[in-house]
Amino acid sequence: MSVPAGSANTGLVLAGAVAKGAFEIGAAQVLAQRPYGITRIAATSSGALNAAILGAGLAFDELSTAVDVATAL
């Protein structure tokens, strides 16, 4: 996701625990529809699994595609 000019960098923190992992993907669906300009992700446990997928999407400016992949998994 591109960072809009003049905006602050936004970090995404993802926690562990299986149920939180599913919740995080739902939250990421909302974030993918808004120009937050996420530039960093910090995560642990199941959140780290989500972060790997979402981070790949951010690297290619395809967060919404990454969310779709994570949802399918």
Side-chain angles (χ1 to χ4, degrees):
M1 179 174 281
S2 300
V3 179
S7 70
N9 294 334
T10 301
L12 179 63
V13 178
L14 305 175
V18 177
K20 288 181 185 174
F23 171 80
E24 291 165 350
I25 295 302
Q29 287 176 326
V30 174
L31 294 174
Q33 298 170 1
R34 293 174 171 76
Y36 283 106
I38 298 168
T39 57
R40 293 174 178 80
I41 301 176
T44 61
S45 192
S46 65
L49 298 173
N50 288 337
I53 297 167
L54 297 176
L58 287 172
F60 292 98
D61 204 22
E62 291 289 336
L63 182 58
S64 60
T65 300
V67 169
D68 292 341
V69 169
T71 301
L73 292 174

